[in-house]
């Protein structure tokens, strides 16, 4: 049990241990470049503050240590302890150590595992919450649960954090729990154990449990090329966002979370590339959608995503160039931001721009 200052220090140490400084600095620059965070942006500092405001406890698989806030009492203490004990049991049976922290190029797979872990622990915690009423977590309406969880990110220090960061943090808890509840309705916690023994490989499989059951793989998508930028650029990162990461990104330019979900649906695969030339940086994400149903145009899903984000992009300050398949905003300080589509694919491009 830790007092607040001790808990803050423990959270920051865990974050520093799991994410190399160079990685967090690069991620901060990419968030600035995409327009998801103000410049300059202290990624680890903002993440730590958000975690400090939201977390009543956490479990560290590297040391097998469970931390809870010393000032918790009554039901709050019981629920926090239940959540972290579940993580300890997960580690005991399925070894969480290889699945946490930073794994280059595997963000989607790591997030999928995190969704299972947090969904499992949150579902168990909700069982305790509903026990007094003679009910279980499965009796709590999904709309109520989702609203409460998302509402918690709209108060205090959390409300001041960039939306992209808040959505990334809450995503595994909300959608991971919905995945676990789907499995529990199919076969109770033994069905959840099956997921632990056969881990979901993509966030798409977690968002659509039937795709996990069917072992639907992601499409192999190559990282975007960057020869058009000219000489001197090198690729400094390559990764996969997955349907989950894509949804969080597209939410920046859609009117509602529901619209972002619809735009990101029917994701087939993606790959991103961050390139750099001195202080100049650019980011590109190539997404390939699933094949549409028979009889539908090949570009059905890519066009749907493009049309969903177009209005939001048009509102960004800057000179807009557009046609039926492309929109580009020349931002005064951040350089171009563009989305273009062709067939089943679309790209999101940001930069190049000098990041000082």
């Amino acid at each position: 049990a830790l007092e607040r200052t001790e808990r803050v220090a423990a959270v920051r140490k865990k974050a520093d241990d799991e994410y190399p400084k160079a990685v967090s600095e690069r991620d901060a620059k990419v968030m600035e470049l995409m327009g998801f965070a103000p410049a300059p942006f202290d990624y680890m500092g903002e993440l730590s503050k958000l975690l400090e405001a939201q977390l009543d406890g956490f479990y560290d698989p590297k040391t097998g240590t469970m931390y809870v806030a010393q000032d918790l009492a009554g039901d709050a203490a019981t629920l926090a302890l239940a959540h972290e004990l579940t993580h300890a049991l997960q580690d005991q049976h399925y070894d969480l150590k290889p699945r946490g922290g930073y794994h280059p190029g595997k963000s989607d797979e790591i997030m999928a595992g995190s969704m299972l872990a947090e969904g499992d622990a949150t579902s168990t915690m909700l069982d305790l919450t509903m026990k007094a009423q003679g009910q279980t977590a499965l009796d709590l309406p999904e709309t109520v649960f989702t609203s409460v969880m998302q509402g918690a990110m709209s108060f205090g220090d959390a409300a001041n954090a960039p939306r992209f960061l808040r959505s990334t943090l809450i995503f595994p808890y909300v959608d991971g729990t919905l995945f676990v509840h789907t499995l529990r309705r199919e076969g109770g916690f033994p069905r959840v154990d099956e997921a632990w023994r056969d881990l979901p490989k993509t966030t798409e499989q977690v968002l659509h449990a039937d795709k996990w059951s069917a072992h639907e793989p992601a499409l192999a998508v190559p990282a975007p090329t960057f020869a058009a930028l000219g000489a001197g650029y090198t690729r400094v990162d390559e990764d996969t966002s997955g349907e989950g990461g894509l949804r969080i990104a597209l939410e920046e330019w859609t009117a509602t979370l529901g619209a972002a979900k619809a735009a990101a649906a029917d994701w087939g695969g993606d790959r991103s590339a961050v390139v750099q030339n001195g202080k100049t940086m650019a980011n590109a994400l190539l997404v390939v959608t699933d094949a549409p149903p028979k009889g539908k145009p090949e570009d059905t899903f890519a066009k749907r995503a493009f049309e969903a984000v177009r209005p939001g992009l048009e509102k960004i300050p800057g000179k807009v160039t557009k046609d039926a398949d492309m929109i580009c905003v020349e931002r005064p300080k951040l350089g171009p931001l563009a989305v273009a589509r062709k067939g089943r694919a679309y790209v999101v491009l940001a930069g190049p721009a000098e990041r000082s």
Side-chain angles (χ1 to χ4, degrees):
L2 300 178
E3 294 180 354
R4 175 173 172 77
T5 54
E6 296 174 318
R7 192 168 80 254
V8 168
V11 168
R12 291 191 174 182
K13 183 179 185 305
K14 186 174 187 292
D16 289 340
D17 288 345
E18 291 186 348
Y19 297 95
K21 184 177 180 181
V23 173
S24 63
E25 289 178 349
R26 184 189 64 228
D27 287 350
K29 291 178 181 178
V30 171
M31 288 180 66
E32 294 171 16
L33 188 62
M34 295 291 288
F36 296 164
F41 182 62
D42 179 4
Y43 180 80
M44 290 310 298
E46 289 296 322
L47 178 61
S48 295
K49 285 195 294 185
L50 196 53
L51 290 172
E52 291 157 16
Q54 294 295 314
L55 290 185
D56 290 330
F58 67 93
Y59 175 77
D60 187 352
K62 288 186 177 180
T63 61
T65 306
M66 183 170 57
Y67 300 89
V68 291
Q70 196 169 46
D71 56 357
L72 290 178
D75 291 343
T78 300
L79 295 177
L81 190 61
H83 189 102
E84 304 314 326
L85 277 169
T86 305
H87 286 320
L89 287 166
Q90 293 165 352
D91 191 26
Q92 178 184 346
H93 289 271
Y94 302 110
D95 189 9
L96 298 181
K97 289 181 283 297
R99 300 167 187 164
Y102 172 64
H103 295 260
K106 295 186 176 182
S107 291
D108 187 42
E109 183 177 349
I110 295 302
M111 177 60 87
S114 177
M115 293 172 76
L116 174 59
E118 298 302 346
D120 187 13
T122 302
S123 184
T124 303
M125 185 179 71
L126 290 174
D127 272 349
L128 283 181
T129 303
M130 303 294 289
K131 186 176 181 180
Q133 304 171 41
Q135 297 178 315
T136 73
L138 303 184
D139 295 304
L140 182 65
E142 290 186 355
T143 53
V144 174
F145 163 70
T146 301
S147 177
V148 169
M149 293 291 285
Q150 292 175 341
M153 301 298 288
S154 303
F155 295 96
D157 292 338
N160 299 320
R163 189 213 57 78
F164 182 86
L165 197 59
R166 287 184 281 122
S167 294
T168 301
L169 185 63
I170 199 68
F171 175 69
Y173 293 88
V174 174
D175 290 275
T177 300
L178 299 182
F179 173 64
V180 167
H181 285 180
T182 297
L183 299 186
R184 287 184 62 183
R185 290 187 178 97
E186 291 177 357
F189 275 110
R191 179 65 168 155
V192 180
D193 289 339
E194 290 180 31
W196 276 107
R197 290 189 290 268
D198 183 14
L199 289 171
K201 301 299 189 295
T202 64
T203 52
E204 179 189 47
Q205 290 184 354
V206 182
L207 293 170
H208 311 279
D210 58 322
K211 297 193 175 189
W212 166 73
S213 298
H215 296 89
E216 181 174 316
L219 299 176
V221 177
T225 58
F226 51 95
L229 295 179
Y233 283 89
T234 57
R235 184 184 288 122
V236 294
D237 188 42
E238 184 180 320
D239 207 353
T240 297
S241 298
E243 183 179 339
L246 180 64
R247 189 181 88 184
I248 292 169
L250 297 184
E251 191 182 346
E252 293 286 335
W253 307 309
T254 56
T256 64
L257 174 58
K261 288 181 179 179
D266 300 296
W267 171 92
D270 75 71
R271 200 67 174 165
S272 65
V274 180
V275 299
Q276 193 166 349
N277 182 359
K279 291 184 177 180
T280 301
M281 178 177 283
N283 182 51
L285 171 66
L286 171 61
V287 182
V288 179
T289 65
D290 286 330
K294 188 175 181 179
K296 294 287 187 178
E298 182 189 31
D299 66 353
T300 296
F301 300 138
K303 182 179 180 180
R304 182 184 62 194
F306 178 75
E307 295 297 338
V309 302
R310 181 202 286 265
L313 291 170
E314 290 177 336
K315 294 178 182 178
I316 297 173
K319 180 183 177 182
V320 176
T321 303
K322 61 183 179 179
D323 60 29
D325 303 322
M326 180 276 292
I327 178 170
C328 178
V329 185
E330 187 69 35
R331 300 168 297 177
K333 294 183 179 180
L334 296 174
L337 174 67
V339 178
R341 69 181 184 92
K342 183 179 181 181
R344 286 169 52 188
Y346 60 96
V347 290
V348 180
L349 309 167
E354 183 174 314
R355 312 302 304 128
S356 62

